[in-house]
Amino acid sequence: MTASSRQRELLTAEQLSALPSDHPLHTTAVADSPMIAALTGRTGAHAPVWFMRQAGRSLPEYKKVREGVPMLDACLNPALAAEITLQPVRRHGVDAAIFFSDIVIPMKLAGVDVDIVPGRGPVLGTPVRTLEDIQALPELTDEALDPIREAVALTVKELGDTPLIGFAGAPFTVAAYMVEGGPSRDHLRPRTMMHADPEAWDALGQWAARTSAQFLAAQIEAGASAVQLFDSWAGSLSEADYRRFVQPHSATTLAHVAHYGVPRIHFGTGTAELLPAMLDAGADVIGVDYRLPLHTANERIGSGVPLQGNIDPALLAAGWDALKEHTDSVLESGKTAPSHIVNLGHGVPPTTDPTVLTRLVEYIHEVTAVEVR
Ligand code: CP3
């Protein structure tokens, strides 16, 4: 597909008709917002900026509302999830909200025994390691997603002209937690399983792909104007293994929501060698981590694709001068792409001074503002 045909396919009248009539993308304020403009390869009033993990422990107001509330309970309480989603938009003036939830929520709603352990991450009661384990997995029902739809609807009502980005974990990253039973550094067990028992791996990939697809569709139908597929751990794979064992499942998830026409961002870390393969999975926008300059990412992808990224989160604590210089180089590098959505190269560290993020948003808006003549 050429770049221009890719862009034309987004947000056509026909595709918009797949969205409910009260969806925010039917309003020009959202459809032509700087965020949606850049995600569809157009230029808005300024470069849009949002931060992965903008909601969360860097914000005192987040810590306050989370007091005594376990992570997954917070995600499944629609009013609380909406409030947490809105907090960074109010405080920083970012150009999009990212829905407050977690990549393990769809498996939790399907009935899998999973919890998020503070300071550690997702932990399963029983890891999923054999074909029998996988065949015994419960299916996610559409009704189980009601709290998600409710939270998204409450959020978009408050957001007004600011778009909401929905998300899901990509099948490999989700499956990696399920096979390991918890966080791991090298993801050895899932990487072994692909080769030792390809049939079991494929069954798990399909389960994770359809579960994430349902999660994305629920968010889009309830009002999300873009989505991001997080394949955070894809960088542990060779390109050959990615293409053979992972890309088909990510493609299933992305294809499931293609007919809505909302821009689909595909992001992972350590993916310098995988970017073309991640694009081939069916993404509209590629998220780049902080290890690869955007102009190099643009060359590797073959141009023509909006890029998102990639301020190094470490620079947030390095002092304003260092952060400003680094941001300038990210903005310069981003000019090689058809459009640039400014973000970090991974999530906001919990220790970040939130006033630095607010100042960074102001700075990016100021220096990228298009002069109105
Ligand atoms: O602003 C946002 O990005 C909010 C939504 C969000 C969360 N998790 C909230 C969260 C999103 C998009 C995620 C996705 C997610 N969850 C990913 C992909 C993104 C990435 O970071 O690579 C992954 C790998 C997970 C799994 C997960 N959930 C981890 C590794 C952790 C950290 C555990 C810890 O305590 O350090 C979580 C918990 C989690 N998810 C928190 C938040 C705000 C922290 C929990 C808390 O505040 O107590």
Side-chain angles (χ1 to χ4, degrees):
M1 193 191 310
T2 65
S4 57
S5 73
R6 182 185 301 280
Q7 281 154 30
R8 268 201 307 276
E9 272 179 25
L10 294 167
L11 303 173
T12 61
E14 193 196 350
Q15 282 176 315
L16 283 175
S17 72
L19 296 171
S21 58
D22 59 350
H23 192 282
L25 277 176
H26 287 296
T27 65
T28 43
V30 172
D32 292 339
S33 63
M35 181 61 64
I36 299 299
L39 287 169
T40 53
R42 295 172 287 146
T43 307
H46 54 73
V49 50
W50 69 282
F51 303 117
M52 291 182 269
R53 289 278 168 92
Q54 63 191 18
R57 283 172 293 183
S58 64
L59 301 183
E61 58 270 36
Y62 170 81
K63 289 188 228 170
K64 186 146 178 259
V65 297
R66 274 288 316 281
E67 257 168 45
V69 186
M71 175 66 187
L72 296 183
D73 290 358
C75 295
L76 296 176
N77 175 333
L80 187 53
E83 165 59 23
I84 294 173
T85 303
L86 292 162
Q87 285 177 345
V89 181
R90 287 191 204 115
R91 183 191 264 264
H92 302 309
V94 280
D95 295 281
I98 172 85
F99 181 52
F100 177 78
S101 196
D102 196 85
I103 60 166
V104 300
I105 283 291
M107 70 173 102
K108 173 82 182 169
L109 291 174
V112 173
D113 176 13
V114 61
D115 203 359
I116 290 185
V117 177
R120 199 165 161 229
V123 176
L124 276 84
T126 320
V128 178
R129 293 190 181 154
T130 64
L131 186 58
E132 292 71 48
D133 294 342
I134 295 155
Q135 283 165 343
L137 284 171
E139 282 299 309
L140 176 60
T141 64
D142 198 45
E143 308 82 73
L145 289 162
D146 282 346
I148 301 305
R149 279 186 279 266
E150 202 184 318
V152 168
L154 284 172
T155 307
V156 296
K157 216 168 90 192
E158 293 292 319
L159 276 172
D161 298 349
T162 304
L164 175 70
I165 301 173
F167 76 92
F172 173 70
T173 292
V174 171
Y177 281 110
M178 296 177 83
V179 177
E180 293 285 355
S184 81
R185 188 186 288 243
D186 301 328
H187 317 295
L188 272 177
R189 284 193 181 91
R191 293 194 297 110
T192 299
M193 191 204 242
M194 295 171 182
H195 293 273
D197 193 348
E199 190 192 350
W201 174 258
D202 190 54
L204 181 57
Q206 286 185 33
W207 185 91
R210 59 179 182 270
T211 307
S212 283
Q214 283 170 273
F215 187 49
L216 288 182
Q219 294 168 70
I220 293 170
E221 293 201 358
S225 292
V227 288
Q228 175 157 314
L229 193 64
F230 279 92
D231 210 349
S232 302
W233 313 141
S236 70
L237 297 160
S238 67
E239 188 191 352
D241 280 356
Y242 178 85
R243 286 198 181 266
R244 181 165 163 211
F245 295 112
V246 171
Q247 190 202 55
H249 299 302
S250 297
T252 298
T253 303
L254 290 164
H256 186 78
V257 296
H259 67 288
Y260 295 114
V262 311
R264 298 159 301 168
I265 311 162
H266 199 177
F267 168 79
T269 67
T271 53
E273 306 306 323
L274 301 180
L275 296 177
M278 289 175 70
L279 181 66
D280 289 346
D284 304 301
V285 177
I286 290 290
V288 182
D289 88 347
Y290 57 86
R291 294 170 183 86
L292 191 72
L294 292 176
H295 62 270
T296 312
N298 188 56
E299 275 164 27
R300 291 192 182 187
I301 288 170
S303 303
V305 180
L307 293 183
Q308 174 176 283
N310 65 350
I311 295 170
D312 185 343
L315 271 287
L316 294 172
W320 179 250
D321 290 346
L323 177 60
K324 181 174 167 299
E325 194 183 320
H326 173 64
T327 300
D328 287 342
S329 82
V330 168
L331 293 174
E332 197 53 39
S333 196
K335 284 180 188 159
T336 56
S339 56
H340 178 199
I341 301 93
V342 186
N343 204 318
L344 303 177
H346 201 176
V348 173
T351 49
T352 303
D353 172 357
T355 64
V356 172
L357 294 174
T358 309
R359 188 171 177 191
L360 186 58
V361 172
E362 277 169 14
Y363 178 72
I364 291 162
H365 285 171
E366 192 186 298
V367 297
T368 65
V370 176
E371 273 182 47
V372 184
R373 283 169 235 248

